[in-house]
């Protein structure tokens, strides 16, 4: 979040009120922040926000006030600030702050898709590169994530190289589209060279943080019922609830592209992505690696108290309202969305649990309870076919299974992050390509979409952009 938005949206923040900005009114906020109310629909009950500017994903829910708001901004700052080595970053890391990859609480464009993409090794990438042996285990000198960033004096674990192959196809009505497949290679290994034949490289781009609090507050019984009913043999669709086992306990996984997280992964993010040790992960990710033996006694680099503010920040982000719902093209597109059976996985309406959500430190957020929400996801795992198979099992998801990506806020990704890369690895350059990659359980939807007229396909995409 930029300071500009903080002061315009919440003039009452005590910290900032010492400055001349205190006089601004709420009306001004809406104008300056590019907000809508006309033609809009709430997406997440009382947590809905009407901001359609660059901070659309990064605005506190309207009920975040007083001490909660103070902690929201404290969490936001920790999330966005480059920790530097004095903040415990490194020795190995993947990004300098949470916000370096999730800029404006969205999806930073990975450098392989940026203007200089196509060849060569990358500097900062903003993606996570997972490496695994063919048999599913890790390599002796490396962890699950390839850390391609290092503090001075260290050597990165390796560098990713990407090339693409492109194929052009035609819709039955003659319109052409093409799909790009990424191919990965790792060079500059810091320790032993890894035989490419034994190596699985799985690259993920960041997810939008839209509705994180609501995702953690989902009614799991409703998801269980969906999984039991979400069996549409006529369309080849059957979603599966992700059950993950951590520390001998079982949890329902709703976070991450493989539904492999049951929490907001704040401690894991600090440890694995930034190299910042904490009570839950007290050892540097490079612990035991030949070049990093001396680093393990740096101690705890971020306190649980501070991470709780980050947890609170993520949990209390507002969800952008739907826009342009009265536009005839949006209405037609919505009908086409149902005709193409997209809703059998991208479930429009779900509910949060009755009991109040409790954060790491016991802070209760009763506003997240008992809400009707519109995430456009069933949070179940689906077989998406061989084209999207990442060749490794993550949590309870098979390599070809993915969690239905929630579509709320998707139409604002261009405004928030200035790009339209979609799918877990960002291979789709726009919404149309994202749909055309659907296979496996998604094949029927893709086929119905393909056989629509160009106008109908365009309308469906206009509808997606209203989410
Ligand atoms: C190097 C880039 C990078 C950094 C730095 C990073 N993340 Fe992420 N984050 C990702 C990627 C990639 C994913 C998607 C992983 C997947 O496929 O499930 C993700 C996913 C997440 C999710 C799950 C989102 C969802 O919709 O389920 C949360 C929450 C999250 N990150 C929080 C954080 C926090 C907190 C930090 C800082 C402590 C952080 N991230 C730092 C790249 C990053
Ligand atoms: C069988 C379940 C299923 C059906 C049916 C389905 N989807 Fe998906 N959708 C998914 C899954 C799973 C993903 C995540 C795939 C990945 O990232 O590799 C996804 C991803 C997407 C994305 C990319 C989201 C992002 O932010 O990266 C879009 C857009 C999308 N779907 C739209 C549609 C539309 C439109 C339809 C109907 C024409 C549809 N989907 C039908 C399961 C489904």
């Amino acid at each position: 979040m930029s300071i500009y938005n903080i002061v315009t949206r919440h003039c009452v923040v005590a910290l900032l009120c010492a400055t001349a900005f205190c006089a601004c009114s709420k009306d001004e906020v809406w104008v300056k922040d590019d907000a809508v109310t006309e033609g809009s629909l709430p997406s997440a009950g009382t947590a809905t926000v009407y901001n359609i500017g660059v901070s659309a994903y990064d605005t506190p829910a309207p009920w975040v006030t007083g001490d909660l708001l103070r902690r929201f901004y404290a969490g936001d700052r920790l999330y966005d600030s480059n920790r530097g080595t004095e903040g415990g970053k490194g020795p190995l890391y993947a990004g300098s702050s949470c916000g370096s990859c999730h800029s404006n609480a969205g999806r930073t464009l990975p450098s392989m898709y940026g203007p200089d993409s196509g060849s060569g090794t990358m500097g900062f990438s903003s993606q996570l590169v997972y490496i695994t042996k063919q048999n599913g285990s890790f390599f002796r000198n490396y962890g699950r994530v390839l850390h391609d960033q290092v503090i001075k004096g260290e050597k990165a674990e390796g560098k990713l190289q990407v090339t693409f192959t492109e194929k052009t196809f035609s819709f039955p009505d003659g319109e052409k589209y093409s799909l790009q497949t990424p191919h990965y290679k790792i060079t500059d290994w810091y320790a032993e060279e890894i035989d490419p034949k034994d190596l699985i490289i799985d690259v993920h781009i960041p997810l939008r943080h839209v509705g994180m609090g609501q995702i953690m507050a989902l009614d799991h019984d409703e998801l269980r019922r969906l999984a039991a009913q979400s069996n549409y043999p006529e369309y080849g669709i059957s979603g599966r609830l992700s059950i993950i086992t951590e520390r001998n306990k079982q949890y329902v996984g709703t976070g991450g592209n493989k539904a492999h997280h049951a929490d907001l992964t704040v401690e894991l993010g600090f440890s694995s992505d930034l190299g910042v040790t904490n009570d839950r992960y007290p050892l540097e990710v490079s612990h035991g690696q030949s070049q990093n033996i001396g680093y393990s006694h740096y101690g705890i680099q971020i306190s649980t108290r501070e991470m709780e503010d980050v947890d609170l920040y993520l949990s209390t982000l507002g969800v952008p309202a739907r826009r342009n719902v009265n536009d005839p093209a949006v209405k037609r597109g919505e009908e086409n969305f149902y005709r193409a059976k997209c809703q059998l996985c991208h479930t429009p309406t779900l509910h949060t649990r009755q009991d109040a959500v409790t954060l790491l430190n016991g802070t209760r957020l009763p506003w997240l309870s008992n809400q009707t929400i519109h995430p456009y996801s069933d949070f179940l795992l689906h077989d998406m076919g061989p084209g999207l198979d990442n060749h490794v099992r993550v949590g309870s998801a098979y390599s070809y299974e993915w969690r239905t990506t929630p579509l709320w806020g998707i139409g604002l990704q261009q405004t928030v992050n200035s790009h339209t890369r979609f799918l877990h690895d960002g291979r789709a350059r726009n919404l149309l390509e994202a749909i055309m990659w659907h296979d496996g359980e998604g094949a029927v939807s893709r086929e119905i979409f393909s056989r629509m007229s160009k106008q109908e396909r365009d309308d469906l995409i206009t509808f997606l952009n209203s989410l």
Side-chain angles (χ1 to χ4, degrees), residues 353-374:
R353 296 190 287 275
Q354 301 282 341
D355 54 319
V357 174
T358 309
L359 299 183
L360 286 170
N361 66 342
T363 304
R364 283 162 58 85
L365 298 172
W367 307 272
L368 288 174
S369 305
N370 210 6
Q371 299 287 303
T372 300
I373 58 171
H374 304 289

Side-chain angles (χ1 to χ4, degrees), residues 307-323:
M307 289 188 300
E308 280 161 355
D309 287 341
V310 178
D311 201 33
L312 180 127
Y313 158 69
L314 288 172
S315 305
T316 57
L317 283 166
V319 178
R322 280 198 54 203
R323 301 150 316 282

Side-chain angles (χ1 to χ4, degrees), residues 18-265:
T19 69
F21 292 105
C22 286
C24 56
S25 73
K26 205 175 173 190
D27 293 348
E28 235 177 309
V29 171
W30 294 140
V31 177
K32 286 200 176 151
D33 260 4
D34 275 352
V36 276
T37 42
E38 196 54 30
S40 63
L41 271 181
S43 297
T46 58
T48 306
V49 292
Y50 294 84
N51 178 347
I52 54 166
V54 61
S55 53
Y57 302 161
D58 207 359
T59 301
W63 38 259
V64 182
T65 57
D67 190 49
L68 279 188
L69 190 60
R70 190 190 55 73
R71 290 184 53 201
F72 176 94
Y73 288 128
D76 189 4
R77 265 195 305 280
L78 279 167
Y79 186 90
D80 275 337
S81 64
N82 180 342
R83 290 196 69 79
T85 41
E86 66 290 352
K89 185 176 78 178
L92 304 183
Y93 61 99
S96 288
S97 66
C98 310
S100 64
C101 293
H102 301 279
S103 59
N104 302 319
R107 285 181 143 163
T108 309
L109 177 68
S111 44
M112 67 177 167
Y113 296 131
D116 309 323
S117 62
S119 62
T121 49
M122 276 176 275
F124 169 62
S125 64
S126 92
Q127 64 220 351
L128 288 174
V129 180
Y130 300 103
I131 52 172
T132 327
K133 282 189 181 191
Q134 289 290 350
N135 68 10
S137 64
F138 301 150
F139 296 98
R140 193 170 57 88
N141 255 313
Y142 304 88
R144 169 144 161 74
V145 171
L146 181 86
H147 294 92
D148 56 3
Q149 308 295 309
V150 277
I151 61 172
K152 210 164 164 242
E154 296 285 315
K155 199 160 178 284
E157 288 183 324
K159 289 285 174 188
L160 184 74
Q161 266 190 8
V162 192
T163 52
F164 300 93
T165 46
E166 183 155 358
K167 259 177 120 168
T168 301
F169 306 87
S170 300
F171 288 110
D173 67 3
E175 195 201 347
K176 291 203 166 24
Y177 66 95
S178 54
L179 299 180
Q180 275 191 336
T181 309
H183 306 280
Y184 307 115
K185 196 171 127 187
I186 291 169
T187 59
D188 304 283
W189 295 99
Y190 95 95
E192 82 269 17
E193 284 284 313
I194 289 178
D195 180 356
K197 283 201 284 300
D198 193 25
L199 174 66
I200 300 168
I201 306 174
D202 174 27
V203 177
H204 291 209
I205 71 163
L207 280 158
R208 297 175 292 271
H209 284 327
V210 176
M212 291 314 304
Q214 289 73 18
I215 294 174
M216 292 301 132
L218 283 165
D219 176 354
H220 294 163
D221 290 333
E222 185 173 33
L223 299 186
R224 262 185 214 102
R225 282 195 301 276
L226 257 185
Q229 293 159 8
S230 131
N231 233 318
Y232 307 97
E234 65 278 36
Y235 305 120
I237 296 178
S238 60
R240 207 163 66 76
L241 190 64
S242 161
I243 305 290
I244 45 181
T245 311
E246 260 177 57
R247 301 170 180 183
N248 296 324
K249 272 187 80 178
Q250 292 207 320
Y251 301 91
V252 173
T254 50
N257 274 302
K258 292 282 188 179
H260 57 305
H261 295 307
D263 66 24
L264 291 177
T265 68

Side-chain angles (χ1 to χ4, degrees), residues 107 207-208 236-238 257 336-337 340-346 378 380-384 388 401-407 410 413 421-425 431 434-435 438-443 445-446 449 460 464:
R107 285 181 143 163
L207 280 158
R208 297 175 292 271
I237 296 178
S238 60
N257 274 302
N336 299 343
F337 183 84
K341 307 295 165 206
C342 310
Q343 88 284 3
L344 296 185
C345 300
H346 294 283
D378 55 6
L380 302 179
L381 293 169
H382 295 277
D383 173 355
M384 295 301 282
L388 295 174
E401 285 182 315
W402 298 93
R403 176 197 68 164
T404 308
T405 314
L407 301 179
I410 196 169
Q413 187 178 301
R421 285 282 173 173
F422 298 109
L423 297 176
H424 67 274
D425 56 6
L431 291 168
I435 298 170
H438 281 57
D439 196 8
E441 295 178 39
S445 278
R446 184 200 64 222
F449 178 77
L460 197 154
L464 294 179

